[in-house]
Amino acid sequence: MTLDQILANFWSTYIELNPSAVDVKRILSGSDPLINDHVAFRTLNIDPFKICQIASPFLTRGYQAKGDYVFTNKKLLAHHFEHPNQIYPKLFISQLQVDLCSSFLQSTMQSLVELQPTIAIDEKFLTAGRWWPIEKSTYDRLLAESEYAAWFYVFGFVPNHFTILVNCLTEITDLVTVNQRLKKHGFKMNTNGGEIKGNSVTGLEQSSTLAYPIPVQFSDQNEPILIPACYYEFAKRHNGFSGFVVESADKIFESTNSSNA
Ligand code: NI
C-alpha cells in the first residue's frame, strides 16, 4: 500500500467512528483541500504493540521519530513522527504504561491482546480496531482508573483523532473563529484547560471538539450504550514549531472523557 492509500484508510475508519468530521471539514474549509497536522493513535506498552513496534510500517515509508512526551498523571508516554514530505500528517502515538497501573488493568489488557497472538503489525494494523469481546462491568472498572484504558478497551487500534492545520485555511485564520463557527453549528468543544490550549509563545495553539458518541454493544448488556469515540482537533502553529506541548496535549486527551457529555 502507498502512504496515500494508508492515509485514506485512516480517514475512512475515522469517519465511521466520527461521522461529524465530514461536517466539520465542510464548515471550516468548504471544498478547499485541507492539510492534516497530525493523526493520533493510542496503544499499550505491551509487546508487540509498543509505539516503536506499531510505528515500524511508517518508518519504512519515510517517517522519522521526532519528539518524546511524558504525561505523568495519566501514565502515558508519546512519540511523534514526521515525514520529510510535509503534505503527509505527523503521527502522534501515545501508549499507556500498564506496568504503572493496577494488577486488574494489567491482567485485563494482557489477556485481550493475547487473543490475537499472530496479528501482523503492518500498514493496516492501525485500523484493526478491537478483536476482543467487551463487558460493561470491565469497562466501568477501567474507566474508574484510567479513561485512556477504558477508551482503548472499547475501540482498540483506530485513529483517535485527525487534526486540521488551521494555518492552511484560507478564510479562517485563528482558533477563536474555528471554535465560534463550530459552536454556531451545534458542536461542543473540549473546555478542559480552556477552549484554546497553548499560545503563540509555546509555538502551538490547539482546540478540539468533544468526541462523537457512538452506540457500543457490550456482551453483558441487552442494549447498545453510547460511548465517546473520536474527535476532531484544530492546530495553529507558530514560528516553525513542529512539536507538541505536554500541558496542552494532556487536556486534549480529555476530549474522549465520558463525563464531558
Ligand atoms: Ni492531537
Side-chain angles (χ1 to χ4, degrees), residues 237-257:
R237 292 191 176 272
H238 301 271
N239 308 319
F241 178 69
S242 71
F244 292 84
V245 179
V246 167
E247 298 72 35
S248 302
D250 187 75
K251 299 299 178 197
I252 293 278
F253 276 117
E254 297 172 8
S255 306
T256 51
N257 281 10

Side-chain angles (χ1 to χ4, degrees), residues 33-256:
L34 283 179
I35 295 177
N36 292 308
D37 180 77
H38 63 274
V39 187
F41 298 88
R42 296 179 173 186
T43 189
L44 311 166
N45 69 335
I46 295 178
D47 193 52
F49 305 112
K50 295 176 182 172
I51 296 171
C52 55
Q53 295 170 299
I54 65 174
S56 68
F58 300 91
L59 297 177
T60 59
R61 285 172 174 80
Y63 274 90
Q64 295 162 355
K66 295 286 179 178
D68 295 353
Y69 313 92
V70 177
F71 303 87
T72 309
N73 292 340
K74 291 185 170 66
K75 298 174 179 162
L76 303 174
L77 190 143
H79 293 305
H80 99 259
F81 302 85
E82 291 180 29
H83 197 280
N85 183 343
Q86 304 225 331
I87 66 159
Y88 294 119
K90 297 180 241 307
L91 304 177
F92 182 91
I93 312 180
S94 56
Q95 74 183 11
L96 182 63
Q97 304 297 86
V98 296
D99 49 312
L100 304 178
C101 300
S102 70
S103 56
F104 168 75
L105 188 151
Q106 288 185 43
S107 60
T108 302
M109 295 306 185
Q110 190 71 44
S111 64
L112 58 87
V113 298
E114 279 171 5
L115 287 172
Q116 191 73 283
T118 58
I119 193 161
I121 309 293
D122 59 13
E123 70 272 23
K124 292 183 186 156
F125 178 72
L126 288 176
T127 54
R130 144 174 70 77
W131 55 80
W132 49 88
I134 50 171
E135 292 181 353
K136 182 68 164 47
S137 56
T138 304
Y139 172 78
D140 288 340
R141 214 170 145 186
L142 291 172
L143 188 60
E145 179 174 348
S146 161
E147 191 280 328
Y148 186 102
W151 186 93
F152 179 84
Y153 176 70
V154 167
F155 298 107
F157 297 99
V158 289
N160 171 267
H161 61 271
F162 268 68
T163 308
I164 293 176
L165 180 63
V166 172
N167 305 60
C168 79
L169 298 176
T170 45
E171 194 204 331
I172 299 175
T173 58
D174 63 276
L175 286 184
V176 173
T177 311
V178 166
N179 296 349
Q180 276 172 355
R181 191 77 60 99
L182 292 175
K183 286 189 287 185
K184 205 178 85 187
H185 283 84
F187 284 90
K188 287 192 181 141
M189 307 304 293
N190 172 352
T191 57
N192 297 339
E195 249 179 39
I196 297 173
K197 289 95 170 128
N199 52 51
S200 58
V201 177
T202 61
L204 175 62
E205 294 176 90
Q206 293 165 279
S207 70
S208 60
T209 62
L210 290 183
Y212 187 91
I214 62 162
V216 171
Q217 184 66 59
F218 292 92
S219 62
D220 57 350
Q221 301 288 313
N222 294 327
E223 299 290 331
I225 293 173
L226 290 177
I227 305 286
C230 297
Y231 56 92
Y232 222 148
E233 186 187 316
F234 314 98
K236 175 139 189 199
R237 292 191 176 272
H238 301 271
N239 308 319
F241 178 69
S242 71
F244 292 84
V245 179
V246 167
E247 298 72 35
S248 302
D250 187 75
K251 299 299 178 197
I252 293 278
F253 276 117
E254 297 172 8
S255 306
T256 51

